[in-house]
Amino acid sequence: MNYLLLISDGVPTADKAATMRREIPAWIRDTRGRIYGQPLAGPDAAKTVRVRDGQTLVSDGPFIETKEFVAGFDIISCTDLDEAIEVAARHPVSWFHTVEVRPFAADTAPGARPWMADDSGRRDELAARLATPVADGATRYLLTLCVDGIPESDEEEAAIDRDTEAWIAKMGGRGVQVYGHALAHAEMATTVRVRDGETLLSDGPFIETKEFIGGIDLIDCAGIDEAVTVTAEHPITRFHMIEVRPLAPE
Amino acid sequence: MSDPPQHAVERAFRDEWGRVVATLIRRTGDWDLAEDCTSEAFAEALRVWPRDGVPHRPGAWLTTVAGNRALDRLRRARRGAELLEEVGRDPLRREGVEMDEQDPDDESGIEDDRLRLIFTCCHPSLAIEARVALTLRTLAGLTTPAIARAFLVEEAAMAKRLTRAKAKIVSAGIPYRVPPSRLLPERLAGVLAVLYLMFNEGYAASSGDDLVRADLCAEAIRLTELLVELMPSEAEAAGLLALMLLQHSRRDARVADGGELVTLERQDRARWDRAEIERGISVLEAALRRGPVGPYQLQAAIAACHASAADAESTDWPQIAGLYELLATALPSPVVRLNRAVAVAMAGDLDRGLALVTELAQAGDLPGYHLLDATRADLLRRRGDLAQAAAAYELALAQAPSEPERRYLARRLAEVRAGSG
């Protein structure tokens, strides 16, 4: 099984920052199933993109403003949820804030692409591709697809699926899209906190809202303007919205 | 057959439902399929057993029929062929979906599927209400409408809760297994908590008029018995069973004919179930001998002190106070501290007990908890501070969640008002 860890953070403190600097390299080293992961630039660097009546609407900031926000992500491969929970509970952010463990959608689900197949050959291939340095002059962005879970009509859904495939093909051809996959419904999430050495789990995403993250894409673009343009072409923006956020500079 | 086949089916339902479902889930990985096919097997038993007689081993018969149904359905399903291939490839399901290869009564050396099922239903990544409901549905075989009624939830909402929990087990990859030893202590504590919650839901309805919902208590006891049988070396599982039996032994004396709650002190002890008390005490003694001693055994020991007293006056309060002190160390919760305060007061030190209750009230750890004010009121009444007791009864009355409790408190309030007036 493959899982997305959404690392959520709050107000930074010197004490916490020191722990993170010390512990995160060890966490990365000890997490064998880790495929890829990066911290994100702060929520101020986020843009949220919607397309309504053919107009691209861009707003500053993340799709939802909260005290705790997604500060990074990791894609991990584990045998089951228990293993994923243990990996999340070893992540130092879970000692201060929360780590949401969200399964990726099955490869057969609509919007899923068979890049995340369970067999380790393809996993290694994916890890290698994601590890390739971003080209000079380009920046990598995380797109989070924010959906409201209310099903579209069958025709609309078919159109979204078709247009998504076309978007992937087009962006892939231009070398823009490097990775993308649908996530299982937010109700399938488990939120992990560690307090006083005890792992505390809760059912559902770290923040319960009407809108939730339905999938992620990673794109490499020359800058935020190109990233917004590319995002606006994604069919999801016609019905929902996509948050675009650069990864933290190395 | 002296026993009518219908009774045999009912008994088999009680004894075998969980085992058949658990086995089918392991072999197919499909919870709904497992439930449906098990239901069909019981329907088939109702048709066939009266005609052909009750099979020698009803459990094996039901497992075979349910398994064959599952196999048929998988074959017919659109993706049947692929699923069968998966089942064959997956080492966990190497034996395939054929059900009749293995003697289901032979438990030597194999982990009981029901144990896998309990731990999966009680997985901590599921919401606590979902854990309770799923355990009742899949392991105990209660129907969704019955569970919905027991928890005062709309049937559709309960169905949704169950469907969602099952979907999460599959799509989030919750493993179908008994947790490995490094996770076992914490996960077993989680299972015991679910079973005790189920029992308490039945023992004192959290709202409404229906104070004793005997079904939930009986199911919780049955499931805990099963757990003790499957994990005989876990002393706390036995401790929980003893605790439930000892509490349950008082069920008939606990509610008066008018539906009003009767406190332990005033209960008619002739109405306590002696056989259940004896069983509880013997389960507890065995658990204490095995150890290690944990919170459930301590609570059961306290319940045993009450159960062994011939009347309220001869209750061994000093011993109970001592047990609560141990419990407060093992389980430092405000409710335990409240009970300890009562025991201290009852053991003769009314002032110290009252001071402990006041301390708790001032710490504000139990906001809105009616029993805190009810206890304070009771201790004040015993000390003769009737005006203060009346004020505390009024506070408790405003917070009490169930009708019988409100009636009890209202009566007490009237008594102290009359006394102080």
Side-chain angles (χ1 to χ4, degrees):
Chain A
M1 291 271 312
N2 297 298
Y3 299 87
L4 179 70
L5 301 186
L6 289 162
I7 312 295
S8 82
D9 208 347
V11 183
T13 63
D15 184 33
K16 235 167 58 184
T19 307
M20 301 293 171
R21 265 198 308 280
R22 194 176 62 240
E23 299 288 346
I24 287 181
W27 180 82
I28 291 173
R29 191 190 60 228
D30 296 340
T31 305
R32 272 181 303 135
R34 182 172 172 273
I35 294 171
Y36 183 69
Q38 286 293 327
L40 295 168
D44 296 350
K47 304 261 183 211
T48 299
V49 180
R50 295 172 184 77
V51 174
R52 298 290 182 274
D53 303 323
Q55 293 282 97
T56 300
L57 311 169
V58 182
S59 51
D60 286 334
F63 83 101
I64 179 147
E65 301 268 6
T66 50
K67 205 150 59 54
E68 285 200 339
F69 53 87
V70 176
F73 67 96
D74 287 275
I75 299 166
I76 60 168
S77 170
C78 292
T79 49
D80 54 41
L81 184 61
D82 279 346
E83 194 188 329
I85 287 166
E86 287 184 277
V87 167
R90 278 198 294 103
H91 195 293
V93 163
S94 71
W95 311 340
F96 301 100
H97 297 285
T98 58
V99 174
E100 179 185 326
V101 179
R102 182 89 79 84
F104 280 95
D107 276 342
T108 49
R113 278 145 260 160
W115 291 20
M116 279 297 293
D118 271 325
D119 62 286
S120 56
R122 289 159 91 183
R123 200 172 72 210
D124 293 347
E125 185 195 319
L126 174 64
R129 178 178 26 203
L130 286 168
T132 308
V134 181
D136 273 349
T139 305
R140 182 161 293 173
Y141 294 85
L142 176 72
L143 311 191
T144 43
L145 282 55
C146 308
V147 299
D148 58 17
I150 300 163
E152 275 78 33
S153 69
D154 287 350
E155 303 90 79
E156 277 172 351
E157 206 174 292
I160 293 175
D161 285 351
R162 195 182 57 237
D163 295 352
T164 301
E165 290 307 317
W167 183 86
I168 293 163
K170 190 169 154 198
M171 297 307 153
R174 277 163 42 187
V176 168
Q177 201 225 21
V178 288
Y179 171 72
H181 208 285
L183 291 164
H185 195 279
E187 287 187 340
M188 304 301 136
T190 300
T191 300
V192 180
R193 291 175 186 80
V194 178
R195 299 292 182 270
D196 300 323
E198 206 183 332
T199 301
L200 309 172
L201 305 180
S202 53
D203 181 33
F206 85 100
I207 182 147
E208 300 267 7
T209 51
K210 192 166 68 68
E211 270 154 336
F212 61 89
I213 303 173
I216 58 164
D217 281 285
L218 286 162
I219 60 171
D220 287 354
C221 289
I224 188 69
D225 292 342
E226 190 195 349
V228 166
T229 308
V230 161
T231 302
E233 287 180 50
H234 195 296
I236 282 290
T237 56
R238 298 205 300 266
F239 302 92
H240 307 287
M241 56 191 167
I242 295 181
E243 178 191 318
V244 192
R245 186 120 64 101
L247 306 192
E250 296 280 337
Chain B
M1 273 283 149
S2 57
D3 199 17
Q6 284 83 352
H7 288 186
V9 176
E10 278 164 30
R11 201 172 45 243
F13 191 88
R14 216 168 42 236
D15 297 343
E16 306 291 349
W17 168 277
R19 193 201 303 261
V20 179
V21 170
T23 303
L24 257 69
I25 291 174
R26 175 170 54 80
R27 293 187 178 175
T28 66
D30 186 330
W31 288 58
D32 289 328
L33 182 76
E35 267 176 36
D36 289 352
C37 294
T38 305
S39 292
E40 285 177 19
F42 278 97
E44 185 76 1
L46 274 175
R47 264 195 307 276
V48 173
W49 294 4
R51 191 189 66 206
D52 301 351
V54 178
H56 174 53
R57 289 182 305 153
W61 189 95
L62 289 160
T63 308
T64 304
V65 171
N68 289 339
R69 294 283 171 123
L71 192 61
D72 284 349
R73 286 221 205 163
L74 286 175
R75 282 199 180 118
R76 274 200 311 268
R78 196 156 47 86
R79 288 187 59 238
E82 293 148 67
L83 263 172
L84 283 172
E85 195 192 323
E86 262 174 47
V87 165
R89 202 172 49 219
D90 184 344
L92 284 173
R93 302 185 200 132
R94 201 160 20 215
E95 67 251 71
V97 286
E98 301 289 352
M99 294 296 151
D100 40 9
E101 306 157 9
Q102 184 190 306
D103 182 349
D105 287 351
D106 173 20
E107 285 165 16
S108 56
I110 57 156
E111 205 159 64
D112 196 292
D113 285 327
R114 290 170 298 179
L115 209 46
R116 291 192 177 94
L117 185 54
I118 290 185
F119 278 101
T120 308
C121 289
C122 296
H123 196 274
S125 72
L126 300 171
I128 186 79
E129 308 82 38
R131 285 177 237 168
V132 176
L134 198 58
T135 306
L136 285 169
R137 174 72 200 113
T138 57
L139 205 62
L142 260 64
T143 62
T144 304
I147 301 168
R149 272 199 306 279
F151 288 93
L152 312 172
V153 172
E154 293 285 326
E155 196 179 318
M158 183 54 76
K160 197 169 162 226
R161 188 181 291 176
L162 286 165
T163 302
R164 202 197 130 184
K166 285 184 273 192
K168 183 166 180 182
I169 289 168
V170 174
S171 61
I174 295 176
Y176 191 59
R177 64 166 183 196
V178 177
S181 53
R182 69 176 187 288
L183 295 176
L184 192 61
E186 146 195 353
R187 292 288 166 84
L188 178 63
V191 170
L192 298 179
V194 166
L195 294 173
Y196 196 34
L197 181 73
M198 191 187 291
F199 179 83
N200 280 325
E201 273 293 330
Y203 199 61
S206 54
S207 60
D209 231 342
D210 184 11
L211 193 60
V212 176
R213 281 177 292 173
D215 270 8
L216 283 180
C217 289
E219 288 304 336
I221 288 174
R222 218 159 58 79
L223 290 166
T224 311
E225 279 169 344
L226 174 66
L227 190 66
V228 170
E229 181 195 315
L230 297 173
M231 303 188 93
S233 62
E234 296 292 346
E236 272 293 83
L240 176 60
L241 177 58
L243 175 60
M244 288 177 178
L245 290 168
L246 289 164
Q247 289 185 337
H248 198 239
S249 70
R250 302 197 290 257
R251 70 194 175 279
D252 292 339
R254 207 170 156 262
V255 184
D257 294 337
E260 186 179 320
L261 190 73
V262 183
T263 55
L264 191 57
E265 197 185 351
R266 297 183 167 203
Q267 283 173 20
D268 174 5
R269 294 179 184 224
R271 292 174 74 188
W272 289 1
D273 184 335
R274 284 289 140 200
E276 209 163 25
I277 289 172
E278 273 163 35
R279 228 190 115 215
I281 289 175
S282 99
V283 170
L284 174 63
E285 282 172 350
L288 289 169
R289 273 197 301 276
R290 184 180 299 280
V293 175
Y296 289 117
Q297 290 163 80
L298 288 169
Q299 291 173 82
I302 291 164
C305 283
H306 288 299
S308 324
D311 49 51
E313 286 68 41
S314 51
T315 306
D316 187 352
W317 284 108
Q319 166 138 6
I320 292 174
L323 286 166
Y324 268 121
E325 208 162 323
L326 286 175
L327 185 60
T329 316
L331 196 78
S333 83
V335 174
V336 171
R337 279 157 57 207
L338 179 62
N339 286 322
R340 192 188 144 214
V342 173
V344 166
M346 296 303 288
D349 200 340
L350 202 52
D351 289 342
R352 181 148 169 265
L354 199 52
L356 287 169
V357 175
T358 309
E359 201 179 288
L360 260 174
Q362 279 162 357
D365 288 339
L366 288 166
Y369 186 58
H370 68 289
L371 289 181
L372 178 63
D373 288 309
T375 303
R376 210 160 54 81
D378 190 51
L379 297 188
L380 286 165
R381 179 182 61 82
R382 284 170 197 274
R383 215 170 60 167
D385 297 338
L386 297 187
Q388 284 192 63
Y393 275 125
E394 278 169 11
L395 280 175
L397 190 57
Q399 295 161 351
S402 90
E403 196 48 48
E405 283 175 305
R406 278 193 289 273
R407 278 203 296 272
Y408 166 76
L409 289 167
R411 197 162 55 77
R412 279 294 200 199
L413 178 60
E415 279 169 21
V416 293
R417 270 189 188 146
S420 68

